Amino acid sequence: MASSRGAVEEARSAGAKIHGTVSDLFGSPIRRAKVQVLSQGGERRTIFTNDGGEYEAGNLSRGEKMVKVAYRGFQAVTETVLLRENETVLLNFGLVVGKLVDLPSIQLRGSVRQSDGKALEGATVTAVSVFNQGVRFKRQTDRDGRYCVDIDQPGQYVIYALKAGFIVDTTSMNLSAELPRKHREVNFRLTPFSASQQSP
């Protein structure tokens, strides 16, 4: 009967690997962030990011892994990934600054209109962090096509407006961490699918 240690070594021979980068929401690398890879079988690996915010955990056994990332001044994050034999998984993290005090939010506001200028009620405006997809804010437009989103985390964002039957309109911008907060206005124009399909 093979020992449990032998079984673990055999599973590790598959050489699965997790690697990626750890950055803030502006994309700046975070050096010496603590990255832990854990499994239900008791396997534990701890590494730290290099000067470029990069980490790599190799020679891992197959199965479900929990990856925890932490760094002082930032909120810790956890992701779960299923590793297969010889698989290499890219897993990047964008850390959100910890809230030590209540700072004013950044107000993103504007309008969503059709290509002919008519206001669009019920359109959804969403702001998603470029470096952490879990950081997102959304609002729907009112009867005048207006919206207002309060964003409490500065960083680089992709902002898009959508409504059923229309082509999505999107833009990107950097929301500065400087105080006082500078409110931003972003207006969108949505073209109906039918209009876009017409021949020139």
Side-chain angles (χ1 to χ4, degrees), residues 22-40:
V22 180
S23 65
D24 61 20
L25 295 189
F26 291 98
S28 299
I30 297 178
R31 176 180 177 274
R32 297 292 296 170
K34 182 179 181 180
V35 181
Q36 290 184 300
V37 182
L38 313 170
S39 66
Q40 293 182 345

Side-chain angles (χ1 to χ4, degrees), residues 159-171:
I159 305 159
Y160 60 91
L162 60 83
K163 185 177 174 66
F166 293 83
I167 298 173
V168 176
D169 188 13
T170 183
T171 187

Side-chain angles (χ1 to χ4, degrees), residues 121-164:
E121 181 181 3
T124 301
V125 177
T126 305
V128 184
S129 167
V130 172
F131 299 101
N132 186 336
Q133 299 298 303
V135 179
R136 62 178 57 215
F137 306 86
K138 63 172 59 179
R139 287 290 185 276
Q140 284 196 326
T141 55
D142 59 21
R143 61 185 300 176
D144 296 319
R146 301 289 301 178
Y147 73 91
C148 183
V149 182
D150 289 323
I151 298 177
D152 61 10
Q153 289 291 340
Q156 293 185 32
Y157 284 84
V158 172
I159 305 159
Y160 60 91
L162 60 83
K163 185 177 174 66

Side-chain angles (χ1 to χ4, degrees), residues 46-122:
T46 300
I47 57 266
F48 294 87
T49 56
N50 61 19
D51 290 346
E54 301 166 325
Y55 74 93
E56 180 178 305
N59 197 28
L60 296 170
S61 62
R62 59 185 176 269
E64 187 175 271
K65 307 296 176 186
M66 182 179 295
V67 184
K68 295 183 177 181
V69 180
Y71 188 73
R72 63 182 182 275
F74 291 81
Q75 298 178 27
V77 294
T78 301
E79 293 282 351
T80 301
V81 63
L82 180 63
L83 286 182
R84 298 178 177 83
E85 292 184 4
N86 297 316
E87 184 176 26
T88 297
V89 174
L90 175 64
L91 199 57
N92 297 325
F93 294 88
L95 300 189
V96 174
V97 176
K99 292 184 178 179
L100 302 179
V101 295
D102 290 329
L103 294 175
S105 60
I106 303 167
Q107 193 175 86
L108 185 69
R109 56 198 176 199
S111 65
V112 180
R113 299 183 177 276
Q114 296 188 46
S115 52
D116 62 3
K118 182 180 179 181
L120 268 179
E121 181 181 3

